[in-house]
Amino acid sequence: MAISSELSRDSELFVPDSRRAWTRLAVAVLIGSLGSVGMWSVVVALPVVQNEFGASRGTASLAFTMVMLGFGSGAVLTGKITDRYGIVTAIGLGIGILGLGYVLAGMSTSIWTFILVHFAIGLSSSATFGPLMAEASHWFDRYRGLAVAVAASGNYVGGTIWPPLVNYGIETIGWRNTHIAVGIFTAVAMALALVGLRMLMGAGGQRDHQNAAPPRVDLRISTNALTTILSIAAIACCVAMSMPQVHIVAYCGDLGYGVARGAEMLSLMLGFGIISRIGSGFLADKIGGIRTLLIGSVAQGTALLFYLFFDSLTSLYVISAMFGLFQGGIVPSYAIIVREAMPASEAATRVGIVIFASVFGMSFGGWISGAIFDATGSYMAAFANGLAWNALNITIMLLLLMRARQRLAMA
């Protein structure tokens, strides 16, 4: 069926999968790329901040933990705001907090001030991930999986671009001035992009879920029970995921390859993650979110296993690229499962809850990996810990797959 893309600004005339939907998605990716800086700058700054304040690796890693906790808490809060008031309001509230948070981080007088400020940075970044994925799912029907994956890719686009930029800033103007500059730039750039999205949404585009398609998959369990199960699965996969993402920079430094090489590996990892996320979207539109997530989880475990046996510079570049390529589609798959099995009116809130669980897993995983390093003097046990959590995620996905069945009326 041909769908006209000649639409007015009235949201009641908005047609899913139309040209306007793709334009909205492009702006959403831009906003996600800018807002995701809070997820990645702390990883690059971790070694130099640790040295300046004379902190342990585990203590310095708490900054990433606070980013994740803020990001997770904000995912639930901004999800509720998005369901009630719309995505523009949710993002608008986060812009000022993000800019202020980076300025305060650059002015930190102690490691604990630096750590606590990162809770606000994580909270402000949250509206540019989970709520954007849920919102994008309302703009598409036929290409919903792809749209959700593309929206989530903004996080990895930022992860590809920001680490080298932050590392260059730290080397040239210092970590304090770099944080202040990032805060000012992102606040201005995101505000301009948000104005563009507001124009595309139109005056009536407050809650796009009102005319969204209904659930397609019946898992024969309650919405609350499914949310809990998905949250446990998200914790498990993200504890495993956090080990390379949080510690690859420090790991390379410990091996004598230098922090810059680690930042390059992180950028490479997240760059390949973009390919994985978009590819997982195509796959989810064909086989569904649960199967897509299961494939990604098995592949992620495989890459983690390689880290246990290879640590040469070349092999670490290759494995980091593999890790990004294998795991990039996992987190967006949770949002796809939510939209496949839950009411659209609750999508942003439910996605926010699962994202909160995933970032709790990332924050706990980031901290426990640092603590294991402090206790053993090596990251090998931390990689093994990640593999065990990854196995739990695979088990949960297999059980859900056994219960899933299509809603015939909506197939």
Side-chain angles (χ1 to χ4, degrees), residues 217-233:
V217 176
D218 184 8
L219 291 172
R220 292 170 284 169
I221 54 178
S222 70
T223 300
N224 287 336
L226 179 57
T227 303
T228 301
I229 292 170
L230 291 177
S231 296
I232 295 172

Side-chain angles (χ1 to χ4, degrees), residues 291-330:
R291 289 182 177 87
T292 301
L293 199 155
L294 178 59
I295 292 171
S297 186
V298 171
Q300 174 177 267
T302 302
L304 281 172
L305 189 62
F306 285 136
Y307 276 114
L308 284 173
F309 297 101
F310 303 96
D311 62 2
S312 69
L313 183 61
T314 300
S315 65
L316 286 177
Y317 274 109
V318 173
I319 297 171
S320 295
M322 289 174 55
F323 186 82
L325 188 62
F326 289 165
Q327 59 79 39
I330 292 178

Side-chain angles (χ1 to χ4, degrees), residues 36-51 57 60-68 102 114 118 121 155-156 158-160 162-168 170 175 178-179 241-253 258-270 362-363 365-367 379:
S36 66
V37 60
M39 301 282 290
W40 311 116
S41 67
V42 64
V43 179
V44 180
L46 188 152
V48 66
V49 172
Q50 175 190 350
N51 290 335
R57 182 68 52 81
S61 297
L62 287 174
F64 182 83
T65 300
M66 295 305 291
V67 168
M68 293 293 99
Y102 267 94
F114 183 82
H118 275 77
I121 291 175
N155 181 269
Y156 274 8
T160 303
W162 283 114
L165 290 177
V166 172
N167 184 66
Y168 177 77
I170 291 173
W175 70 268
T178 296
H179 280 72
M241 189 183 299
S242 68
M243 175 54 231
Q245 289 190 354
V246 177
H247 290 277
I248 190 65
V249 175
Y251 184 40
C252 286
V259 171
R261 300 290 81 76
E264 290 172 358
M265 290 178 197
L266 178 61
S267 180
L268 183 67
M269 185 187 301
L270 300 176
M362 288 288 289
S363 61
W367 170 78
Y379 276 122

